[in-house]
Amino acid sequence: MIKVHHLNDSRSQRVLWLLEELGLDYEVVRYERDAKTRLAPPELIAVHPLGKSPVIEDGAIKVAETGAVVEYLLDAHGRGRLRPPSGTEEARRFTYWLHYAEGSAMPPLLLKLVFGLLPRRAPALLKPLVNGIAAKAQSGFVDPQLRTHIGFWEDELGRSEWFAGDQFTAADIMMSFPVEAGADRAFDIATKPRLAAFLQRIHARPAYQRALERGGPYTYA
């Protein structure tokens, strides 16, 4: 049985969702973030040197990093499901979005989170200074970057119902977290009808709902 080292409120929720879509048996090993720092517990370092989640174990095989885990599961257990046929335009789009989700989409969203938290965690005497620096970084760099990315997502969903084409794929599972996090902290979902429809479609999937039951609800703060 596949073992998933799952951290609450983390991107590892997507791995549970993929496993549910593939109909695979799996065991969830749960870890809780520190309530104050929001960091993963040190127990995860015993699983992987970086102490991050997700990590899966499939027998003697251990795989970390969400995109790598998704590719491994599709290669080892997918039987051609949730990915387009090789050599097609849809396959090229699939590969792009699979890697874009973490490589390009998440960094500005993470910066948005970090600069939002800094003023709250700064010492009282430094709060005005930290708040000014954080606000300047967000308005001058982070927010313009996010507007560009989010506009790109909205436009791409005008090409097809899903990110890689007309069929739901694991690329949509990978993109779910950036879109959900973006809707939570970076844009008004009412202004992006295609992204709103995308979220409605994925949230209605039975496998998505089953994964939430196994992993628990998650937030982005």
Side-chain angles (χ1 to χ4, degrees), residues 197-209:
F198 171 79
L199 290 178
Q200 289 177 345
R201 289 195 298 274
I202 64 172
H203 293 164
R205 294 184 72 85
Y208 181 97
Q209 296 170 14

Side-chain angles (χ1 to χ4, degrees), residues 110-122:
L110 181 59
L111 287 174
K112 181 76 171 176
L113 175 64
V114 169
F115 283 117
L117 290 174
L118 278 177
R120 283 183 264 167
R121 297 188 177 180

Side-chain angles (χ1 to χ4, degrees), residues 17-204:
W17 178 16
L18 175 60
L19 289 164
E20 290 289 346
E21 292 282 359
L22 294 174
L24 300 176
D25 291 331
Y26 62 96
E27 172 191 356
V28 179
V29 182
R30 300 176 184 276
Y31 303 85
E32 295 292 322
R33 294 181 183 275
D34 182 280
K36 184 176 182 180
T37 67
R38 301 298 295 157
L39 296 176
E43 289 83 0
L44 266 174
I45 295 176
V47 179
H48 187 275
L50 296 182
K52 302 289 186 181
S53 177
V55 178
I56 67 163
E57 294 181 80
D58 188 8
I61 298 170
K62 183 183 290 186
V63 186
E65 193 65 41
T66 312
V69 170
V70 168
E71 288 201 86
Y72 169 79
L73 290 172
L74 293 178
D75 289 343
H77 303 286
R79 301 196 304 275
R81 294 171 292 172
L82 297 181
R83 72 189 332 164
S86 178
T88 62
E89 171 62 18
E90 289 79 9
R92 289 186 286 274
R93 291 176 67 187
F94 170 85
T95 299
Y96 174 79
W97 290 106
L98 191 73
H99 294 281
Y100 166 89
E102 288 294 316
S104 294
M106 283 308 301
L109 285 165
L110 181 59
L111 287 174
K112 181 76 171 176
L113 175 64
V114 169
F115 283 117
L117 290 174
L118 278 177
R120 283 183 264 167
R121 297 188 177 180
L125 289 176
L126 294 178
K127 278 187 184 295
L129 175 63
V130 173
N131 188 61
I133 293 172
K136 184 98 173 163
Q138 292 201 66
S139 64
F141 176 72
V142 178
D143 289 344
Q145 284 287 311
L146 283 171
R147 283 194 294 271
T148 298
H149 282 278
I150 292 161
F152 177 45
W153 306 344
E154 179 77 3
D155 290 345
E156 283 294 300
L157 288 175
R159 297 179 59 192
S160 55
E161 185 175 20
W162 301 102
F163 277 100
D166 293 327
Q167 301 298 317
F168 172 80
T169 70
D172 299 295
I173 294 176
M174 284 296 293
M175 280 300 297
S176 66
F177 197 92
V179 176
E180 288 174 324
D184 181 74
R185 69 176 75 125
F187 68 93
D188 179 358
I189 195 66
T191 67
K192 303 295 179 187
R194 293 168 185 154
L195 290 172
F198 171 79
L199 290 178
Q200 289 177 345
R201 289 195 298 274
I202 64 172
H203 293 164

